[in-house]
Amino acid sequence: MLPVASEDGTVTDWVTALFTSTSSICVTGLIVVDTPGHWSTFGELVILGLIQVGGFGIMTFASLLGVLVTRRLGMRMQRSAATETKTSVLGDVRRVVLGVIAVSLIMETLTALALTARLAAGYEIPLGQATYLGVFHAVSAFNNAGFALYSDSLIGFATDPWICVPIVVAFVLGGLGFPVLFELARHARRQQRRWSLHIRITLGAYAALAVVGVIAVIGIEWTNPATLGQYDPIGKLVAGAFQGLTPRTAGFNTLDVGAMQPASLLVTDVLMFIGGGSAGTAGGIKVTTFALLAFVMLAEVRGEPNVHVLGRKLPREVYRQALTVVLSGVGLVWLATMTLLLITPFKLDDVLFEATSAFGTVGLSTGITGDLSQAGQLILVVLMFVGRLGPITFASALALRERGKRYDLPEERPIVG
């Protein structure tokens, strides 16, 4: 809200400042004011800092500060950081936290160098400005934030693979999750010969959904004059592929989302809700959760008493956790969508897209975010916050204490279906 944070030196209203701060720390990318037009360089740096902290994760960042200040981690902080980074052994927390920081900085640096070189050489932007733009978009990409310093996001670079490819690589790697990246690194160094079940499910589901998204967007929008129809075939493939991958919660767009066909918006809704990999910079219910429920359904259809995935048996508590995450997400998006329909004049396609984008911390929008009332924007703030924390974490935080039952009730089976 400080005057120095705005371009014209005035105080930004508290709802706009809160919305932008939440969107930054939750690495969402939804905006109610034009980022390069409203915010000064100082304001943009505040956004950039929040994106970086949000991408690391609050407990990861706090653990890093603990390591730097005291050179050790207390047991409570180790447990919290282990939960956030999906670390199973407390003794590995410090190594994992430092690994998260190292991977983030290395990927962001490589992406920034590629973008800076292209902007300076291909668009004749002064080196200093090109470096600033490259660093900002690299951090935003790897952390799946979707904030851009161009008013039209990346539409101006829709057919430029030298800009689109580095950004795609950054947000895909960030969206896969740090556990997957660490395991791939160990496998490359021959420290681990067999891939774990988690990495096989994550990579398989992520790849399948990426293919579905790219084919759907290119196929549906190919002749739409307001989106892909204006480009040559190669340009259509580049722009369409980027737009099909960005619902993995990246949030950048190379097409005018508001001009896309309703079928494309619906496909994007589903992809945004699913999101990316666990313990990474992506949001959504996570591709692993989606895949696990698919395996549960397959086992039920086959009449199998247990769920087997790639040669492994899934424990029953995994089903309950996956169902809780999915149904909580569906309920939150439904409630927010219904409320927004009641208090705003916008149609269902736009409102559902907005609510799903906020919950999945994606940042894509049909263009109605800035036109929502303050009440509507505050609803999106809550959705972004809950979506970043995760439904289970949020529900657990609301619970005063755990209650253990010392008895059980008689069993009775209702009719299902």
Side-chain angles (χ1 to χ4, degrees), residues 14-15 18-19 30 32 335-346 351 354-355 358 368-384:
W14 71 273
V15 175
L18 174 64
F19 191 99
L30 285 175
V32 290
L335 181 61
T337 301
M338 184 185 68
T339 306
L340 289 173
L341 284 174
L342 292 174
I343 65 175
T344 66
F346 301 108
V351 170
E354 203 79 10
I368 69 171
T369 314
D371 297 325
L372 293 174
S373 63
Q374 287 192 346
Q377 292 175 6
L378 291 176
I379 289 174
L380 295 186
V381 165
V382 174
L383 270 181
M384 290 188 290

PDB file of all heavy atoms in Angstrom, residues 14-15 18-19 30 32 335-346 351 354-355 358 368-384:
ATOM      1  N   TRP A  14      -6.500  -1.135   0.078  1.00  0.00           N
ATOM      2  CA  TRP A  14      -6.083  -2.316   0.823  1.00  0.00           C
ATOM      3  C   TRP A  14      -6.522  -3.617   0.154  1.00  0.00           C
ATOM      4  O   TRP A  14      -5.807  -4.615   0.231  1.00  0.00           O
ATOM      5  CB  TRP A  14      -6.591  -2.248   2.256  1.00  0.00           C
ATOM      6  CG  TRP A  14      -8.074  -2.431   2.408  1.00  0.00           C
ATOM      7  CD1 TRP A  14      -9.034  -1.476   2.336  1.00  0.00           C
ATOM      8  CD2 TRP A  14      -8.756  -3.662   2.658  1.00  0.00           C
ATOM      9  NE1 TRP A  14     -10.277  -2.016   2.514  1.00  0.00           N
ATOM     10  CE2 TRP A  14     -10.140  -3.367   2.724  1.00  0.00           C
ATOM     11  CE3 TRP A  14      -8.349  -4.979   2.835  1.00  0.00           C
ATOM     12  CZ2 TRP A  14     -11.107  -4.342   2.963  1.00  0.00           C
ATOM     13  CZ3 TRP A  14      -9.306  -5.963   3.066  1.00  0.00           C
ATOM     14  CH2 TRP A  14     -10.671  -5.638   3.129  1.00  0.00           C
ATOM     15  N   VAL A  15      -7.668  -3.613  -0.522  1.00  0.00           N
ATOM     16  CA  VAL A  15      -8.119  -4.845  -1.168  1.00  0.00           C
ATOM     17  C   VAL A  15      -7.203  -5.206  -2.332  1.00  0.00           C
ATOM     18  O   VAL A  15      -6.805  -6.368  -2.501  1.00  0.00           O
ATOM     19  CB  VAL A  15      -9.573  -4.715  -1.646  1.00  0.00           C
ATOM     20  CG1 VAL A  15      -9.990  -5.961  -2.439  1.00  0.00           C
ATOM     21  CG2 VAL A  15     -10.519  -4.525  -0.465  1.00  0.00           C
ATOM     22  N   LEU A  18      -3.929  -6.399  -0.814  1.00  0.00           N
ATOM     23  CA  LEU A  18      -4.090  -7.729  -0.226  1.00  0.00           C
ATOM     24  C   LEU A  18      -4.201  -8.786  -1.318  1.00  0.00           C
ATOM     25  O   LEU A  18      -3.587  -9.858  -1.232  1.00  0.00           O
ATOM     26  CB  LEU A  18      -5.330  -7.760   0.669  1.00  0.00           C
ATOM     27  CG  LEU A  18      -5.711  -9.128   1.247  1.00  0.00           C
ATOM     28  CD1 LEU A  18      -4.622  -9.636   2.178  1.00  0.00           C
ATOM     29  CD2 LEU A  18      -7.050  -9.045   1.978  1.00  0.00           C
ATOM     30  N   PHE A  19      -4.995  -8.497  -2.339  1.00  0.00           N
ATOM     31  CA  PHE A  19      -5.175  -9.458  -3.435  1.00  0.00           C
ATOM     32  C   PHE A  19      -3.842  -9.744  -4.121  1.00  0.00           C
ATOM     33  O   PHE A  19      -3.489 -10.902  -4.366  1.00  0.00           O
ATOM     34  CB  PHE A  19      -6.181  -8.908  -4.449  1.00  0.00           C
ATOM     35  CG  PHE A  19      -6.624  -9.913  -5.475  1.00  0.00           C
ATOM     36  CD1 PHE A  19      -7.827 -10.587  -5.332  1.00  0.00           C
ATOM     37  CD2 PHE A  19      -5.846 -10.199  -6.589  1.00  0.00           C
ATOM     38  CE1 PHE A  19      -8.241 -11.523  -6.275  1.00  0.00           C
ATOM     39  CE2 PHE A  19      -6.243 -11.133  -7.528  1.00  0.00           C
ATOM     40  CZ  PHE A  19      -7.449 -11.794  -7.370  1.00  0.00           C
ATOM     41  N   LEU A  30      -3.116 -14.225 -10.509  1.00  0.00           N
ATOM     42  CA  LEU A  30      -4.304 -13.422 -10.784  1.00  0.00           C
ATOM     43  C   LEU A  30      -4.033 -11.979 -10.373  1.00  0.00           C
ATOM     44  O   LEU A  30      -3.394 -11.724  -9.351  1.00  0.00           O
ATOM     45  CB  LEU A  30      -5.511 -13.963 -10.013  1.00  0.00           C
ATOM     46  CG  LEU A  30      -6.145 -15.249 -10.541  1.00  0.00           C
ATOM     47  CD1 LEU A  30      -7.243 -15.725  -9.591  1.00  0.00           C
ATOM     48  CD2 LEU A  30      -6.700 -15.056 -11.944  1.00  0.00           C
ATOM     49  N   VAL A  32      -5.651  -7.770 -10.235  1.00  0.00           N
ATOM     50  CA  VAL A  32      -6.796  -6.866 -10.333  1.00  0.00           C
ATOM     51  C   VAL A  32      -6.375  -5.527 -10.923  1.00  0.00           C
ATOM     52  O   VAL A  32      -7.223  -4.702 -11.262  1.00  0.00           O
ATOM     53  CB  VAL A  32      -7.454  -6.658  -8.953  1.00  0.00           C
ATOM     54  CG1 VAL A  32      -8.147  -7.925  -8.503  1.00  0.00           C
ATOM     55  CG2 VAL A  32      -6.434  -6.201  -7.918  1.00  0.00           C
ATOM     56  N   LEU A 335     -18.746 -23.855  -4.078  1.00  0.00           N
ATOM     57  CA  LEU A 335     -19.268 -22.818  -3.195  1.00  0.00           C
ATOM     58  C   LEU A 335     -18.856 -21.428  -3.660  1.00  0.00           C
ATOM     59  O   LEU A 335     -19.668 -20.494  -3.689  1.00  0.00           O
ATOM     60  CB  LEU A 335     -18.775 -23.067  -1.767  1.00  0.00           C
ATOM     61  CG  LEU A 335     -19.245 -22.071  -0.697  1.00  0.00           C
ATOM     62  CD1 LEU A 335     -20.759 -22.093  -0.579  1.00  0.00           C
ATOM     63  CD2 LEU A 335     -18.598 -22.399   0.650  1.00  0.00           C
ATOM     64  N   ALA A 336     -17.584 -21.281  -4.050  1.00  0.00           N
ATOM     65  CA  ALA A 336     -17.108 -19.980  -4.523  1.00  0.00           C
ATOM     66  C   ALA A 336     -17.797 -19.586  -5.825  1.00  0.00           C
ATOM     67  O   ALA A 336     -18.175 -18.425  -6.009  1.00  0.00           O
ATOM     68  CB  ALA A 336     -15.592 -20.035  -4.718  1.00  0.00           C
ATOM     69  N   THR A 337     -17.958 -20.555  -6.731  1.00  0.00           N
ATOM     70  CA  THR A 337     -18.619 -20.259  -8.006  1.00  0.00           C
ATOM     71  C   THR A 337     -20.054 -19.822  -7.795  1.00  0.00           C
ATOM     72  O   THR A 337     -20.522 -18.835  -8.390  1.00  0.00           O
ATOM     73  CB  THR A 337     -18.585 -21.503  -8.916  1.00  0.00           C
ATOM     74  OG1 THR A 337     -17.220 -21.881  -9.149  1.00  0.00           O
ATOM     75  CG2 THR A 337     -19.252 -21.220 -10.247  1.00  0.00           C
ATOM     76  N   MET A 338     -20.786 -20.534  -6.962  1.00  0.00           N
ATOM     77  CA  MET A 338     -22.180 -20.173  -6.691  1.00  0.00           C
ATOM     78  C   MET A 338     -22.277 -18.783  -6.063  1.00  0.00           C
ATOM     79  O   MET A 338     -23.136 -17.967  -6.451  1.00  0.00           O
ATOM     80  CB  MET A 338     -22.814 -21.201  -5.767  1.00  0.00           C
ATOM     81  CG  MET A 338     -24.296 -20.952  -5.498  1.00  0.00           C
ATOM     82  SD  MET A 338     -24.989 -22.109  -4.299  1.00  0.00           S
ATOM     83  CE  MET A 338     -24.128 -21.602  -2.806  1.00  0.00           C
ATOM     84  N   THR A 339     -21.386 -18.499  -5.112  1.00  0.00           N
ATOM     85  CA  THR A 339     -21.412 -17.188  -4.460  1.00  0.00           C
ATOM     86  C   THR A 339     -21.098 -16.077  -5.449  1.00  0.00           C
ATOM     87  O   THR A 339     -21.758 -15.022  -5.455  1.00  0.00           O
ATOM     88  CB  THR A 339     -20.405 -17.158  -3.300  1.00  0.00           C
ATOM     89  OG1 THR A 339     -20.654 -18.252  -2.416  1.00  0.00           O
ATOM     90  CG2 THR A 339     -20.513 -15.856  -2.537  1.00  0.00           C
ATOM     91  N   LEU A 340     -20.097 -16.290  -6.308  1.00  0.00           N
ATOM     92  CA  LEU A 340     -19.745 -15.274  -7.303  1.00  0.00           C
ATOM     93  C   LEU A 340     -20.870 -15.057  -8.305  1.00  0.00           C
ATOM     94  O   LEU A 340     -21.102 -13.933  -8.764  1.00  0.00           O
ATOM     95  CB  LEU A 340     -18.463 -15.679  -8.030  1.00  0.00           C
ATOM     96  CG  LEU A 340     -17.175 -15.608  -7.201  1.00  0.00           C
ATOM     97  CD1 LEU A 340     -16.006 -16.195  -7.981  1.00  0.00           C
ATOM     98  CD2 LEU A 340     -16.868 -14.177  -6.797  1.00  0.00           C
ATOM     99  N   LEU A 341     -21.585 -16.122  -8.653  1.00  0.00           N
ATOM    100  CA  LEU A 341     -22.728 -15.971  -9.563  1.00  0.00           C
ATOM    101  C   LEU A 341     -23.818 -15.114  -8.934  1.00  0.00           C
ATOM    102  O   LEU A 341     -24.518 -14.358  -9.629  1.00  0.00           O
ATOM    103  CB  LEU A 341     -23.291 -17.346  -9.932  1.00  0.00           C
ATOM    104  CG  LEU A 341     -22.498 -18.162 -10.952  1.00  0.00           C
ATOM    105  CD1 LEU A 341     -23.099 -19.556 -11.095  1.00  0.00           C
ATOM    106  CD2 LEU A 341     -22.463 -17.464 -12.310  1.00  0.00           C
ATOM    107  N   LEU A 342     -23.979 -15.218  -7.607  1.00  0.00           N
ATOM    108  CA  LEU A 342     -25.022 -14.462  -6.921  1.00  0.00           C
ATOM    109  C   LEU A 342     -24.672 -12.986  -6.773  1.00  0.00           C
ATOM    110  O   LEU A 342     -25.565 -12.134  -6.769  1.00  0.00           O
ATOM    111  CB  LEU A 342     -25.276 -15.071  -5.533  1.00  0.00           C
ATOM    112  CG  LEU A 342     -25.923 -16.463  -5.512  1.00  0.00           C
ATOM    113  CD1 LEU A 342     -25.984 -16.996  -4.088  1.00  0.00           C
ATOM    114  CD2 LEU A 342     -27.331 -16.413  -6.114  1.00  0.00           C
ATOM    115  N   ILE A 343     -23.377 -12.668  -6.639  1.00  0.00           N
ATOM    116  CA  ILE A 343     -23.002 -11.283  -6.334  1.00  0.00           C
ATOM    117  C   ILE A 343     -22.375 -10.558  -7.519  1.00  0.00           C
ATOM    118  O   ILE A 343     -22.020  -9.384  -7.401  1.00  0.00           O
ATOM    119  CB  ILE A 343     -22.032 -11.238  -5.139  1.00  0.00           C
ATOM    120  CG1 ILE A 343     -20.705 -11.911  -5.482  1.00  0.00           C
ATOM    121  CG2 ILE A 343     -22.656 -11.870  -3.915  1.00  0.00           C
ATOM    122  CD1 ILE A 343     -19.664 -11.798  -4.383  1.00  0.00           C
ATOM    123  N   THR A 344     -22.208 -11.246  -8.655  1.00  0.00           N
ATOM    124  CA  THR A 344     -21.627 -10.596  -9.834  1.00  0.00           C
ATOM    125  C   THR A 344     -22.528 -10.829 -11.047  1.00  0.00           C
ATOM    126  O   THR A 344     -23.339 -11.760 -11.054  1.00  0.00           O
ATOM    127  CB  THR A 344     -20.223 -11.158 -10.150  1.00  0.00           C
ATOM    128  OG1 THR A 344     -20.337 -12.533 -10.551  1.00  0.00           O
ATOM    129  CG2 THR A 344     -19.307 -11.060  -8.934  1.00  0.00           C
ATOM    130  N   PRO A 345     -22.380 -10.016 -12.092  1.00  0.00           N
ATOM    131  CA  PRO A 345     -23.216 -10.180 -13.288  1.00  0.00           C
ATOM    132  C   PRO A 345     -22.617 -11.112 -14.331  1.00  0.00           C
ATOM    133  O   PRO A 345     -23.173 -11.245 -15.428  1.00  0.00           O
ATOM    134  CB  PRO A 345     -23.285  -8.747 -13.833  1.00  0.00           C
ATOM    135  CG  PRO A 345     -21.959  -8.147 -13.470  1.00  0.00           C
ATOM    136  CD  PRO A 345     -21.605  -8.760 -12.135  1.00  0.00           C
ATOM    137  N   PHE A 346     -21.531 -11.780 -14.021  1.00  0.00           N
ATOM    138  CA  PHE A 346     -20.823 -12.570 -15.023  1.00  0.00           C
ATOM    139  C   PHE A 346     -21.448 -13.955 -15.189  1.00  0.00           C
ATOM    140  O   PHE A 346     -22.091 -14.484 -14.283  1.00  0.00           O
ATOM    141  CB  PHE A 346     -19.345 -12.686 -14.656  1.00  0.00           C
ATOM    142  CG  PHE A 346     -18.652 -11.365 -14.546  1.00  0.00           C
ATOM    143  CD1 PHE A 346     -18.273 -10.856 -13.313  1.00  0.00           C
ATOM    144  CD2 PHE A 346     -18.397 -10.607 -15.686  1.00  0.00           C
ATOM    145  CE1 PHE A 346     -17.644  -9.636 -13.207  1.00  0.00           C
ATOM    146  CE2 PHE A 346     -17.768  -9.379 -15.589  1.00  0.00           C
ATOM    147  CZ  PHE A 346     -17.396  -8.888 -14.355  1.00  0.00           C
ATOM    148  N   VAL A 351     -17.055 -17.279 -14.392  1.00  0.00           N
ATOM    149  CA  VAL A 351     -16.956 -17.374 -12.933  1.00  0.00           C
ATOM    150  C   VAL A 351     -16.323 -18.702 -12.515  1.00  0.00           C
ATOM    151  O   VAL A 351     -15.454 -18.742 -11.635  1.00  0.00           O
ATOM    152  CB  VAL A 351     -18.355 -17.210 -12.301  1.00  0.00           C
ATOM    153  CG1 VAL A 351     -18.308 -17.543 -10.819  1.00  0.00           C
ATOM    154  CG2 VAL A 351     -18.857 -15.790 -12.495  1.00  0.00           C
ATOM    155  N   GLU A 354     -12.651 -18.554 -13.191  1.00  0.00           N
ATOM    156  CA  GLU A 354     -11.953 -17.704 -12.229  1.00  0.00           C
ATOM    157  C   GLU A 354     -11.755 -18.430 -10.894  1.00  0.00           C
ATOM    158  O   GLU A 354     -10.667 -18.399 -10.305  1.00  0.00           O
ATOM    159  CB  GLU A 354     -12.757 -16.418 -12.006  1.00  0.00           C
ATOM    160  CG  GLU A 354     -11.938 -15.256 -11.505  1.00  0.00           C
ATOM    161  CD  GLU A 354     -11.142 -14.587 -12.612  1.00  0.00           C
ATOM    162  OE1 GLU A 354     -11.353 -14.900 -13.796  1.00  0.00           O
ATOM    163  OE2 GLU A 354     -10.291 -13.745 -12.276  1.00  0.00           O
ATOM    164  N   ALA A 355     -12.815 -19.090 -10.416  1.00  0.00           N
ATOM    165  CA  ALA A 355     -12.731 -19.789  -9.138  1.00  0.00           C
ATOM    166  C   ALA A 355     -11.756 -20.962  -9.214  1.00  0.00           C
ATOM    167  O   ALA A 355     -10.966 -21.186  -8.289  1.00  0.00           O
ATOM    168  CB  ALA A 355     -14.122 -20.281  -8.723  1.00  0.00           C
ATOM    169  N   ALA A 358      -8.184 -19.684  -9.239  1.00  0.00           N
ATOM    170  CA  ALA A 358      -7.745 -19.237  -7.911  1.00  0.00           C
ATOM    171  C   ALA A 358      -7.438 -20.428  -7.018  1.00  0.00           C
ATOM    172  O   ALA A 358      -6.394 -20.475  -6.354  1.00  0.00           O
ATOM    173  CB  ALA A 358      -8.828 -18.367  -7.274  1.00  0.00           C
ATOM    174  N   ILE A 368     -12.033 -11.002 -16.050  1.00  0.00           N
ATOM    175  CA  ILE A 368     -13.037 -10.398 -15.175  1.00  0.00           C
ATOM    176  C   ILE A 368     -12.509 -10.084 -13.781  1.00  0.00           C
ATOM    177  O   ILE A 368     -13.212  -9.480 -12.975  1.00  0.00           O
ATOM    178  CB  ILE A 368     -14.270 -11.317 -15.040  1.00  0.00           C
ATOM    179  CG1 ILE A 368     -13.912 -12.583 -14.254  1.00  0.00           C
ATOM    180  CG2 ILE A 368     -14.841 -11.680 -16.406  1.00  0.00           C
ATOM    181  CD1 ILE A 368     -15.113 -13.436 -13.892  1.00  0.00           C
ATOM    182  N   THR A 369     -11.264 -10.466 -13.484  1.00  0.00           N
ATOM    183  CA  THR A 369     -10.758 -10.329 -12.112  1.00  0.00           C
ATOM    184  C   THR A 369     -10.842  -8.893 -11.610  1.00  0.00           C
ATOM    185  O   THR A 369     -11.325  -8.630 -10.508  1.00  0.00           O
ATOM    186  CB  THR A 369      -9.294 -10.804 -12.027  1.00  0.00           C
ATOM    187  OG1 THR A 369      -9.145 -12.037 -12.717  1.00  0.00           O
ATOM    188  CG2 THR A 369      -8.885 -11.000 -10.580  1.00  0.00           C
ATOM    189  N   GLY A 370     -10.379  -7.960 -12.412  1.00  0.00           N
ATOM    190  CA  GLY A 370     -10.374  -6.568 -11.996  1.00  0.00           C
ATOM    191  C   GLY A 370     -11.751  -5.957 -11.912  1.00  0.00           C
ATOM    192  O   GLY A 370     -11.942  -4.916 -11.268  1.00  0.00           O
ATOM    193  N   ASP A 371     -12.754  -6.571 -12.558  1.00  0.00           N
ATOM    194  CA  ASP A 371     -14.121  -6.044 -12.560  1.00  0.00           C
ATOM    195  C   ASP A 371     -14.973  -6.638 -11.453  1.00  0.00           C
ATOM    196  O   ASP A 371     -16.140  -6.251 -11.302  1.00  0.00           O
ATOM    197  CB  ASP A 371     -14.788  -6.324 -13.917  1.00  0.00           C
ATOM    198  CG  ASP A 371     -14.069  -5.614 -15.060  1.00  0.00           C
ATOM    199  OD1 ASP A 371     -13.567  -4.494 -14.828  1.00  0.00           O
ATOM    200  OD2 ASP A 371     -14.010  -6.176 -16.169  1.00  0.00           O
ATOM    201  N   LEU A 372     -14.449  -7.587 -10.710  1.00  0.00           N
ATOM    202  CA  LEU A 372     -15.198  -8.152  -9.598  1.00  0.00           C
ATOM    203  C   LEU A 372     -15.329  -7.126  -8.480  1.00  0.00           C
ATOM    204  O   LEU A 372     -14.488  -6.241  -8.311  1.00  0.00           O
ATOM    205  CB  LEU A 372     -14.493  -9.399  -9.057  1.00  0.00           C
ATOM    206  CG  LEU A 372     -14.442 -10.631  -9.967  1.00  0.00           C
ATOM    207  CD1 LEU A 372     -13.573 -11.706  -9.324  1.00  0.00           C
ATOM    208  CD2 LEU A 372     -15.833 -11.174 -10.234  1.00  0.00           C
ATOM    209  N   SER A 373     -16.390  -7.249  -7.702  1.00  0.00           N
ATOM    210  CA  SER A 373     -16.545  -6.397  -6.532  1.00  0.00           C
ATOM    211  C   SER A 373     -15.494  -6.757  -5.486  1.00  0.00           C
ATOM    212  O   SER A 373     -14.818  -7.780  -5.596  1.00  0.00           O
ATOM    213  CB  SER A 373     -17.951  -6.571  -5.947  1.00  0.00           C
ATOM    214  OG  SER A 373     -18.122  -7.915  -5.506  1.00  0.00           O
ATOM    215  N   GLN A 374     -15.372  -5.912  -4.468  1.00  0.00           N
ATOM    216  CA  GLN A 374     -14.406  -6.217  -3.408  1.00  0.00           C
ATOM    217  C   GLN A 374     -14.739  -7.535  -2.724  1.00  0.00           C
ATOM    218  O   GLN A 374     -13.838  -8.308  -2.381  1.00  0.00           O
ATOM    219  CB  GLN A 374     -14.378  -5.085  -2.381  1.00  0.00           C
ATOM    220  CG  GLN A 374     -13.698  -3.823  -2.867  1.00  0.00           C
ATOM    221  CD  GLN A 374     -13.439  -2.832  -1.749  1.00  0.00           C
ATOM    222  OE1 GLN A 374     -13.971  -2.951  -0.658  1.00  0.00           O
ATOM    223  NE2 GLN A 374     -12.601  -1.836  -2.015  1.00  0.00           N
ATOM    224  N   ALA A 375     -16.028  -7.809  -2.556  1.00  0.00           N
ATOM    225  CA  ALA A 375     -16.425  -9.078  -1.946  1.00  0.00           C
ATOM    226  C   ALA A 375     -15.993 -10.251  -2.815  1.00  0.00           C
ATOM    227  O   ALA A 375     -15.491 -11.266  -2.317  1.00  0.00           O
ATOM    228  CB  ALA A 375     -17.938  -9.110  -1.721  1.00  0.00           C
ATOM    229  N   GLY A 376     -16.166 -10.118  -4.136  1.00  0.00           N
ATOM    230  CA  GLY A 376     -15.750 -11.176  -5.051  1.00  0.00           C
ATOM    231  C   GLY A 376     -14.247 -11.391  -5.023  1.00  0.00           C
ATOM    232  O   GLY A 376     -13.770 -12.532  -5.064  1.00  0.00           O
ATOM    233  N   GLN A 377     -13.490 -10.297  -4.962  1.00  0.00           N
ATOM    234  CA  GLN A 377     -12.039 -10.414  -4.912  1.00  0.00           C
ATOM    235  C   GLN A 377     -11.577 -11.048  -3.603  1.00  0.00           C
ATOM    236  O   GLN A 377     -10.623 -11.832  -3.598  1.00  0.00           O
ATOM    237  CB  GLN A 377     -11.410  -9.023  -5.088  1.00  0.00           C
ATOM    238  CG  GLN A 377     -11.612  -8.448  -6.486  1.00  0.00           C
ATOM    239  CD  GLN A 377     -11.107  -7.023  -6.626  1.00  0.00           C
ATOM    240  OE1 GLN A 377     -10.507  -6.490  -5.704  1.00  0.00           O
ATOM    241  NE2 GLN A 377     -11.351  -6.414  -7.776  1.00  0.00           N
ATOM    242  N   LEU A 378     -12.258 -10.750  -2.513  1.00  0.00           N
ATOM    243  CA  LEU A 378     -11.892 -11.361  -1.237  1.00  0.00           C
ATOM    244  C   LEU A 378     -12.198 -12.854  -1.234  1.00  0.00           C
ATOM    245  O   LEU A 378     -11.474 -13.646  -0.597  1.00  0.00           O
ATOM    246  CB  LEU A 378     -12.632 -10.664  -0.093  1.00  0.00           C
ATOM    247  CG  LEU A 378     -12.183  -9.221   0.198  1.00  0.00           C
ATOM    248  CD1 LEU A 378     -13.053  -8.601   1.276  1.00  0.00           C
ATOM    249  CD2 LEU A 378     -10.716  -9.179   0.606  1.00  0.00           C
ATOM    250  N   ILE A 379     -13.235 -13.267  -1.947  1.00  0.00           N
ATOM    251  CA  ILE A 379     -13.519 -14.704  -2.088  1.00  0.00           C
ATOM    252  C   ILE A 379     -12.362 -15.386  -2.801  1.00  0.00           C
ATOM    253  O   ILE A 379     -11.918 -16.476  -2.412  1.00  0.00           O
ATOM    254  CB  ILE A 379     -14.842 -14.910  -2.851  1.00  0.00           C
ATOM    255  CG1 ILE A 379     -16.029 -14.489  -1.983  1.00  0.00           C
ATOM    256  CG2 ILE A 379     -14.992 -16.375  -3.286  1.00  0.00           C
ATOM    257  CD1 ILE A 379     -17.357 -14.521  -2.711  1.00  0.00           C
ATOM    258  N   LEU A 380     -11.848 -14.753  -3.840  1.00  0.00           N
ATOM    259  CA  LEU A 380     -10.705 -15.317  -4.562  1.00  0.00           C
ATOM    260  C   LEU A 380      -9.458 -15.333  -3.680  1.00  0.00           C
ATOM    261  O   LEU A 380      -8.637 -16.253  -3.787  1.00  0.00           O
ATOM    262  CB  LEU A 380     -10.435 -14.514  -5.843  1.00  0.00           C
ATOM    263  CG  LEU A 380     -11.515 -14.558  -6.917  1.00  0.00           C
ATOM    264  CD1 LEU A 380     -11.038 -13.830  -8.174  1.00  0.00           C
ATOM    265  CD2 LEU A 380     -11.898 -15.991  -7.267  1.00  0.00           C
ATOM    266  N   VAL A 381      -9.297 -14.354  -2.825  1.00  0.00           N
ATOM    267  CA  VAL A 381      -8.159 -14.333  -1.893  1.00  0.00           C
ATOM    268  C   VAL A 381      -8.191 -15.573  -1.007  1.00  0.00           C
ATOM    269  O   VAL A 381      -7.172 -16.259  -0.819  1.00  0.00           O
ATOM    270  CB  VAL A 381      -8.186 -13.051  -1.029  1.00  0.00           C
ATOM    271  CG1 VAL A 381      -7.241 -13.194   0.170  1.00  0.00           C
ATOM    272  CG2 VAL A 381      -7.780 -11.840  -1.867  1.00  0.00           C
ATOM    273  N   VAL A 382      -9.365 -15.884  -0.460  1.00  0.00           N
ATOM    274  CA  VAL A 382      -9.496 -17.081   0.387  1.00  0.00           C
ATOM    275  C   VAL A 382      -9.215 -18.342  -0.414  1.00  0.00           C
ATOM    276  O   VAL A 382      -8.521 -19.258   0.052  1.00  0.00           O
ATOM    277  CB  VAL A 382     -10.910 -17.136   1.010  1.00  0.00           C
ATOM    278  CG1 VAL A 382     -11.104 -18.444   1.781  1.00  0.00           C
ATOM    279  CG2 VAL A 382     -11.133 -15.949   1.930  1.00  0.00           C
ATOM    280  N   LEU A 383      -9.737 -18.408  -1.642  1.00  0.00           N
ATOM    281  CA  LEU A 383      -9.515 -19.583  -2.486  1.00  0.00           C
ATOM    282  C   LEU A 383      -8.038 -19.775  -2.785  1.00  0.00           C
ATOM    283  O   LEU A 383      -7.520 -20.897  -2.749  1.00  0.00           O
ATOM    284  CB  LEU A 383     -10.290 -19.443  -3.802  1.00  0.00           C
ATOM    285  CG  LEU A 383     -11.715 -19.989  -3.860  1.00  0.00           C
ATOM    286  CD1 LEU A 383     -12.288 -19.770  -5.245  1.00  0.00           C
ATOM    287  CD2 LEU A 383     -11.757 -21.451  -3.493  1.00  0.00           C
ATOM    288  N   MET A 384      -7.336 -18.694  -3.099  1.00  0.00           N
ATOM    289  CA  MET A 384      -5.897 -18.802  -3.374  1.00  0.00           C
ATOM    290  C   MET A 384      -5.148 -19.289  -2.151  1.00  0.00           C
ATOM    291  O   MET A 384      -4.255 -20.139  -2.252  1.00  0.00           O
ATOM    292  CB  MET A 384      -5.345 -17.441  -3.838  1.00  0.00           C
ATOM    293  CG  MET A 384      -5.805 -17.014  -5.215  1.00  0.00           C
ATOM    294  SD  MET A 384      -4.964 -15.523  -5.828  1.00  0.00           S
ATOM    295  CE  MET A 384      -5.649 -14.248  -4.764  1.00  0.00           C
TER     296      MET A 384
END
